[in-house]
Amino acid sequence: MELDKLLRNNIKALKPYSSARDEFSGEADVYLDANENPFNKPYNRYPDPLQWAVKEKIAAIKNVAPEKIFLGNGSDEPIDIIFRAFCEPGVDNMVSIDPTYGMYQVAADINNVEVRKVKLNEDFGFSAQKLLDATNLYTKVIFVCSPNNPTANLLDKAEIIKLITDFDGLVVVDEAYIDFSPESSLLPDLDQYKNLIVLHTFSKAWGMAGIRLGMAFAQPEIIRIFNKVKYPYNINILTQKKALKLMDKIQEKEEWVNAILEERGKMVKKLFKLPFVQVVYPSDANFILVKMNDARGIYAYLTEQKIIVRDRSKVTLCDDCLRITIGSPKENKKLRKVLKKLV
Ligand SMILES: *Cc1c(COP(=O)(O)O)cnc(C)c1O
């Protein structure tokens, strides 16, 4: 893969905004360089544009060098930046599995980039060759998601690796739910695959959807491009501080994951017994996809009972399916109790 050939010409030529904090990044006694207000500490100061303290900590946890990490306002930011940096609007395209996370398509649409969707198999597995067959000379990036949303399953690792190896452009593997799965992340293999971008997030296993912090991992050449295109201060001070604190409590995160996995097992077993439930698909994530008679009717009934799940019945391969997030033991029990009343 030649990164230069993938990059849009305007991005190649771009001279990025240089902030006060870019031009001086050491330690000083008096800061009079950024037109900040001297009062209201510590929020008066602009945040570190490259969030090095946060990245150092992530680096230690994930065993990836800090210069291979990009932090975004949720995973949505790196997804958008990939299109803005690599895909010429109205010319280039991307290939993705279908069904999958909706943001890839939305970000592509906003950037006027054609989406070439390749339907998953009936068992929600995928074939690398089918995705490769959907590419052409203008395909800059392929998106896969494992475990996939909304189907909840891991994709075959050997197939993902075939995709990365055989494709000349970028391959994004979104591992937002990897902590809930028995499979290991692709991160240890990052250096082997120069065209690989792995996405992680603080929104799911880490329980921090509210602070909006997503991670992209890739070779430093790719991360430098992301940094050039992003807003200068894309991660605010509050988020950086909270993330630093949170990462000291990795054990708590693991306890949450274990509790969710235990609840997931219980939920699968009990929902399976309801006569109107046709299939509870195997899950490697913190949600389950359930096929049932009259999914739309049941969705409406649950909403009336003030329980909100996700109606996925109009999604490819998901006819009559609801997507149910695993909640607290109490929330899950309430859902089951309300569903049982239908029997
Ligand atoms: C929830 C989710 C994310 C996380 O998005 P954030 O913007 O980081 O909250 C990323 N990818 C997938 C597939 C998801 O389902």
Side-chain angles (χ1 to χ4, degrees), residues 80-341:
D80 180 55
I81 289 182
I82 289 165
F83 291 113
R84 287 199 285 148
F86 295 100
C87 298
E88 193 62 36
V91 176
D92 292 330
N93 66 65
M94 73 93 141
V95 167
S96 121
I97 54 171
D98 181 37
T100 192
Y101 185 44
M103 268 314 287
Y104 316 141
Q105 163 110 47
V106 171
D109 287 347
I110 289 170
N111 288 286
N112 193 21
V113 171
E114 179 200 352
V115 179
R116 300 178 154 213
K117 290 187 197 177
V118 178
K119 210 157 112 172
L120 293 173
N121 305 328
E122 287 293 326
D123 66 356
F124 299 148
F126 89 114
S127 137
Q129 193 55 52
K130 270 198 219 162
L131 289 184
L132 293 165
D133 289 346
T135 65
N136 68 2
L137 284 174
Y138 297 97
T139 307
K140 295 297 180 71
V141 53
I142 299 178
F143 277 82
V144 294
C145 181
S146 178
N148 188 33
N149 179 2
T151 57
N153 60 309
L154 277 163
L155 300 181
D156 188 272
K157 201 166 183 173
E159 284 294 300
I160 295 178
I161 287 173
K162 176 180 162 61
L163 194 65
I164 300 167
T165 315
D166 290 4
F167 181 54
D168 274 342
L170 299 165
V171 176
V172 178
V173 181
D174 187 340
E175 295 185 336
Y177 299 100
I178 197 73
D179 295 84
F180 301 102
S181 87
E183 183 61 271
S184 56
S185 166
L186 279 171
L187 276 188
D189 305 328
L190 197 61
D191 290 346
Q192 229 173 306
Y193 306 115
K194 306 292 181 203
N195 58 337
L196 171 62
I197 300 169
V198 175
L199 301 181
H200 286 188
T201 179
F202 281 93
S203 296
K204 309 287 157 67
W206 285 96
M208 280 280 162
I211 71 170
R212 307 307 301 131
L213 191 60
M215 297 160 265
F217 302 90
Q219 292 307 304
E221 296 75 21
I222 296 177
I223 299 300
R224 279 198 292 271
I225 293 165
F226 285 19
N227 287 339
K228 223 165 110 161
V229 174
K230 77 180 184 73
Y231 289 162
Y233 302 107
N234 60 328
I235 310 295
N236 68 69
I237 283 187
L238 298 172
T239 294
Q240 294 193 41
K241 278 189 194 298
K242 196 73 198 174
L244 282 170
K245 260 203 202 145
L246 175 70
M247 281 187 283
D248 289 335
K249 296 195 283 183
I250 189 159
Q251 205 178 331
E252 197 174 0
K253 171 214 132 189
E254 275 155 18
E255 283 163 18
W256 292 338
V257 168
N258 288 336
I260 290 166
L261 291 184
E262 197 179 314
E263 280 295 305
R264 185 181 78 191
K266 215 184 275 178
M267 190 68 110
V268 169
K269 228 165 50 195
K270 297 200 171 172
L271 288 192
F272 194 69
K273 288 186 184 151
L274 295 171
F276 53 84
V277 167
Q278 297 169 32
V279 191
V280 182
Y281 291 99
S283 169
D284 301 302
N286 68 338
F287 60 88
I288 51 177
L289 188 71
V290 186
K291 194 186 199 69
M292 52 183 82
N293 303 338
D294 189 25
R296 288 193 69 86
I298 289 174
Y299 174 81
Y301 162 73
L302 287 174
T303 305
E304 260 169 45
Q305 304 295 312
K306 297 194 164 27
I307 296 176
I308 314 302
V309 297
R310 200 81 196 271
D311 179 7
R312 299 282 80 181
S313 59
K314 292 281 175 287
V315 170
T316 312
L317 294 176
C318 298
D319 291 347
D320 265 323
C321 285
L322 299 183
R323 193 193 71 189
I324 303 175
T325 305
I326 304 301
S328 69
K330 200 172 148 197
E331 291 168 332
N332 300 333
K333 210 174 259 175
K334 172 110 194 274
L335 170 76
R336 291 193 296 261
K337 194 173 146 199
V338 165
L339 282 176
K340 254 190 218 152
K341 283 193 194 153

Side-chain angles (χ1 to χ4, degrees), residues 39-110:
F39 308 109
N40 198 33
K41 285 184 168 101
Y43 306 107
N44 59 329
R45 298 294 176 196
Y46 282 103
D48 173 4
L50 292 172
Q51 314 98 17
W52 286 116
V54 181
K55 286 177 183 172
E56 300 272 345
K57 230 168 208 176
I58 295 172
I61 289 172
K62 309 251 181 193
N63 198 22
V64 175
E67 62 273 14
K68 294 175 191 162
I69 305 174
F70 171 84
L71 296 181
N73 186 332
S75 307
D76 301 338
E77 185 176 1
I79 291 168
D80 180 55
I81 289 182
I82 289 165
F83 291 113
R84 287 199 285 148
F86 295 100
C87 298
E88 193 62 36
V91 176
D92 292 330
N93 66 65
M94 73 93 141
V95 167
S96 121
I97 54 171
D98 181 37
T100 192
Y101 185 44
M103 268 314 287
Y104 316 141
Q105 163 110 47
V106 171
D109 287 347
I110 289 170

